[in-house]
Structure formats: C-alpha cells, structure tokens
Amino acid sequence: MKLEDLRSALSCVFEKLGAESLTEPDRVELVERAGVVQDQIDALQDAVDDEEPVPMQPTPVPEPFGDRLF
C-alpha cells in the first residue's frame, strides 16, 4: 500500500513539473522532492526483492471415507 501511495505522489510531482507556470525555484524543489520519493520507492522495492519467498505448503487432500458423509 505504501509503495502505491509513493508512486501516486511521484506521479503528482511529475504532473506539477509539466506546468508551464512554475518558477525555477519551484521546479528545483519539485525535482528534489521527486528524487526523495523515488529513493523511498527504490528502498521499498529492494526490501521486497530481498525477502525470500515462503514456499507454499500444499493443502493435503483427505482420504475418502467411502459412503460416509460425516
């Protein structure tokens, strides 16, 4: 969920960077913010990639009891 929120924030920053009415100081600040958010995204992805997958245990199939229902 946090990764999705960070990606959304980064998307918003890039949209603001595309605005023609930005002053240069605002543009510099947005680029810095984008870098910080991208670093956070990269750190989260690295943490997820570093986790070893837990092998799934198959659900055992019960032996049939013949004609009994219970």
Side-chain angles (χ1 to χ4, degrees), residues 6-68:
L6 288 171
R7 286 182 176 154
S8 177
L10 187 59
S11 176
C12 289
V13 169
F14 282 127
E15 282 184 36
K16 289 180 182 180
L17 279 171
E20 294 179 19
S21 61
L22 278 179
T23 63
E24 188 59 26
D26 289 339
R27 187 174 304 280
V28 169
E29 182 180 344
L30 285 172
V31 168
E32 289 175 9
R33 285 186 188 182
V36 169
V37 172
Q38 185 63 54
D39 289 345
Q40 291 174 342
I41 290 172
D42 292 342
L44 279 173
Q45 286 180 327
D46 288 344
V48 168
D49 291 342
D50 288 344
E51 291 179 4
E52 292 185 26
V54 177
M56 302 260 318
Q57 296 294 328
T59 305
V61 177
E63 293 292 323
F65 294 114
D67 293 336
R68 289 183 17 194

